[in-house]
Structure formats: structure tokens, C-alpha cells
Amino acid sequence: MTSNISSDASSLLGVVLEGIVYGFSILMFIGTIWALTYKQRIQDVSRPIAVVAILLFILSTTHIVVNTIRVEDGLVTYRNTFPGGPAAFFADLTQQTFIINNILYVLQTLLADGVVIYRCYVVWQSVWIIVLPSILWCGVAVTGICAIYSFFQVTSNSGNPYANEIGQPEQLITAYFALTMATNLLSSGLLAYRIWMIEHSASTIRSKKDTMMPIVRVVIDSCVLYSVVLFIALICFVCSNNGELVIVDMLIPTISIAFYMILIRVAINRKHHVHSSIIGMASEMEQDNLQKRPMQFLQFHISQFTHDDSTAVHASRTGDEVLDSER
């Protein structure tokens, strides 16, 4: 199948759509920081989650900046001087901005998938459960690095990026997309399944209405969002459609949004559990006080009843004496 959109047009469309999705990712980043820091002391803020959120934001911001520079170079700076014009410029795999963009994309993918694998380890508390996801993650790293290295070896510049990628780059990119999708689906599936198992087991013995099902739904939603975009990019690449360039540009902020969804839900759930724990501790302390001082309450009520009875007896005696005197 031939490309139905030129490489220069797809690059321009990609940076515009990436800017729109990036705007949503900024809002999600602000929401993540708010969920982590609102009414929290500095020492209570989850530093690992904050570091991951900041790194995702830095990578996506750097990518859109480099992508904007790349579009400006191709359409403005080197429009009349680059051999073959803008179409050949954007099809050139050895361009510095193209290499930097792909490095940022690989780093973003490795960071996001690494977070999900680590979460799997945390909820399963077993190294064996993350062996296969870790192997797939290493495969993503290897294919990503090798694909970027293969771009430097490309010598042809036909004006069609897919013609320039024929051979080793094409195989590596296909493997990279496939491994990334497999890693995300497997890791997110294991994470959601484990949380569901814990929730199902606890629901039979728990009297409170606290639930972790919102986290399961968010994990599944983010996994579906990420996987669908990856699948579209893979299909476009296999079909040699320049729409893949647009999807990959949108994929960077989409990765950030997908994982901000999880980070926000985890932060909110953590706050909820802390609040529930404080209330639970208060109620337990109140129950302990009632159990430790039953005799005090009993003595108080007995003395009160005794006082009332003595008062009543004294009143009846006084009344009898008054009646006798009247007689």
C-alpha cells in the first residue's frame, strides 16, 4: 500500500495534533501534582510517583519542542536548500531532530512500561511474576536502541521514509511496536487481575465500603488507550502509511496521559485509605476506652441510683412525719 499523505504534510499534522494532546497531558500533570500535594506535608508526598510524573512531563515537553523545531527546519529553514524539498527532508532518517525524537520516544516507553512492571511486583510481592514482563521490557529496550542505531546506517533518501527503512530498520521497528504492546498488555493485565483478586477476597470479610475497583478500572482504561494507539501505529507502519508518523507524534503525550490516570487514582486512593485509617484508629481508641473503664461507668450509675433511692426514702420519711404531726 502506498502512502496516502506526504511525509511533510504528515509531519505538520503530527505536530499540530501532538500539541492538542499535549495540552490535555499538561492538565493531567497538574491534576497529578495536585493529588499528590493537596493538604499533604512535604515528607508525606510520594516521591517515586512525583519523580515519574515529572520525568514523563519533561520527556513529552522536550519531544514537542524538538518536533516543532524539526517541522520549522523542514518547512521553513531548509525548504529551498535541502535536496528534494520538504518531503525528502522529513523522509531522511539521519536527521538529528528525527533521531532525538525517537530517543525520547524509546525513553518514554521504557519509563512507562517500567512503572507498570514495578507496580506488578509491588502488588504480587513475587519476582517470578514479573520475569516475562521484564524480558519483554528488555526486548523493547534492545529493539529500540538497535532501531535508532540502524537509522545512522541508512544511505538512501528516496523521499519515502518507508523505502528508506526497508531492511533492518523495518524489522526492528515492527518488533519494537509488537514487544511494546505485549509488555503493556501483559503487565497491565497482571496488575489489574491481582488488584481484582485482592478486592474480591477482601469484600467477603470487610465491613467497610472501601474498594479498590476504581484503580482496576483506571488501569484497564489506560491500558486500552495505550494499546489501541500502539496498534494503530503498528498497522499504519506495516501498511507503509504515513499516518504512522502522525500517530507516533501523538503517542508521546498519550503515554503520559495514560499513566497520569493511574498515578492520580493511586494518589487519591492512598489519601482515602489514610483518612479511613485515622477514623478507624479513633473509633478503636474510643472502644478501648469504653472497655478499659466499664467499672467507672458502672460505679457512676450505681452511685447515681443509690443517691436517687436515698433521696426518695428521705422524702417519704419526711412526708410520714408531716402526716403524723397533722394527725
Side-chain angles (χ1 to χ4, degrees):
M1 175 183 286
T2 58
S3 301
N4 56 5
I5 183 173
S6 62
S7 57
D8 53 342
S10 63
S11 297
L12 179 60
L13 180 60
V15 74
V16 171
L17 295 179
E18 180 185 7
I20 295 174
V21 182
Y22 175 75
F24 286 105
S25 72
I26 292 177
L27 296 178
M28 295 293 290
F29 173 73
I30 295 173
T32 302
I33 299 301
W34 178 85
L36 290 173
T37 59
Y38 181 67
K39 292 184 179 180
Q40 293 287 326
R41 296 176 297 179
I42 298 298
Q43 57 269 28
D44 295 334
V45 176
S46 177
R47 289 179 177 82
I49 295 180
V51 169
V52 170
I54 293 172
L55 287 176
L56 290 172
F57 177 74
I58 291 174
L59 289 173
S60 58
T61 302
T62 307
H63 185 274
I64 193 172
V65 170
V66 175
N67 207 19
T68 303
I69 295 173
R70 171 175 167 78
V71 171
E72 182 185 5
D73 289 344
L75 297 179
V76 180
T77 306
Y78 303 111
R79 178 180 181 86
N80 299 320
T81 58
F82 193 86
F89 176 87
F90 290 109
D92 186 5
L93 305 183
T94 61
Q95 286 294 319
Q96 185 177 8
T97 51
F98 179 78
I99 300 294
I100 294 174
N101 272 347
N102 281 276
I103 291 174
L104 293 172
Y105 172 47
V106 171
L107 291 176
Q108 184 97 331
T109 302
L110 293 176
L111 176 62
D113 291 342
V115 170
V116 179
I117 293 174
Y118 172 74
R119 282 291 174 188
C120 282
Y121 169 75
V122 170
V123 299
W124 282 91
Q125 289 296 308
S126 173
V127 176
W128 295 106
I129 203 69
I130 63 170
V131 169
L132 183 55
S134 299
I135 293 175
L136 293 174
W137 185 87
C138 292
V140 172
V142 171
T143 54
I145 294 172
C146 291
I148 293 172
Y149 176 76
S150 68
F151 294 154
F152 291 100
Q153 313 303 317
V154 174
T155 56
S156 64
N157 189 13
S158 64
N160 184 351
Y162 297 99
N164 298 332
E165 291 172 351
I166 291 176
Q168 187 179 20
E170 181 181 16
Q171 297 170 357
L172 290 170
I173 294 172
T174 303
Y176 176 83
F177 279 134
L179 287 172
T180 302
M181 192 183 308
T183 304
N184 179 61
L185 288 173
L186 179 60
S187 302
S188 300
L190 289 172
L191 179 60
Y193 176 69
R194 180 59 175 173
I195 296 175
W196 178 82
M197 283 181 57
I198 296 173
E199 172 65 22
H200 181 70
S201 300
S203 61
T204 57
I205 58 175
R206 183 178 51 205
S207 59
K208 298 180 181 179
K209 294 183 178 180
D210 299 339
T211 176
M212 291 185 291
M213 289 307 295
I215 296 182
V216 176
R217 298 189 191 99
V218 170
V219 170
I220 294 175
D221 291 343
S222 64
C223 174
V224 170
L225 173 64
Y226 185 20
S227 299
V228 166
V229 178
L230 270 175
F231 182 72
I232 296 174
L234 177 59
I235 294 300
C236 290
F237 180 79
V238 171
C239 297
S240 299
N241 191 305
N242 277 337
E244 180 259 342
L245 302 175
V246 179
I247 299 300
V248 169
D249 287 340
M250 295 174 58
L251 191 57
I252 304 297
T254 301
I255 293 174
S256 299
I257 291 175
F259 287 90
Y260 289 152
M261 291 167 59
I262 299 177
L263 299 181
I264 290 174
R265 184 68 256 183
V266 169
I268 293 176
N269 193 71
R270 178 175 296 178
K271 281 185 179 182
H272 177 70
H273 278 293
V274 169
H275 180 67
S276 300
S277 299
I278 293 174
I279 295 177
M281 290 174 61
S283 62
E284 289 177 1
M285 291 175 62
E286 184 178 355
Q287 291 178 0
D288 290 341
N289 291 333
L290 290 174
Q291 293 175 357
K292 290 179 180 178
R293 297 186 299 171
M295 293 305 297
Q296 296 179 7
F297 288 103
L298 184 60
Q299 290 172 3
F300 170 76
H301 288 296
I302 291 175
S303 62
Q304 185 180 16
F305 294 151
T306 305
H307 177 72
D308 293 340
D309 292 342
S310 62
T311 304
V313 172
H314 178 71
S316 65
R317 287 180 179 177
T318 305
D320 293 340
E321 291 175 357
V322 172
L323 290 173
D324 291 340
S325 62
E326 288 179 355
R327 289 174 184 174

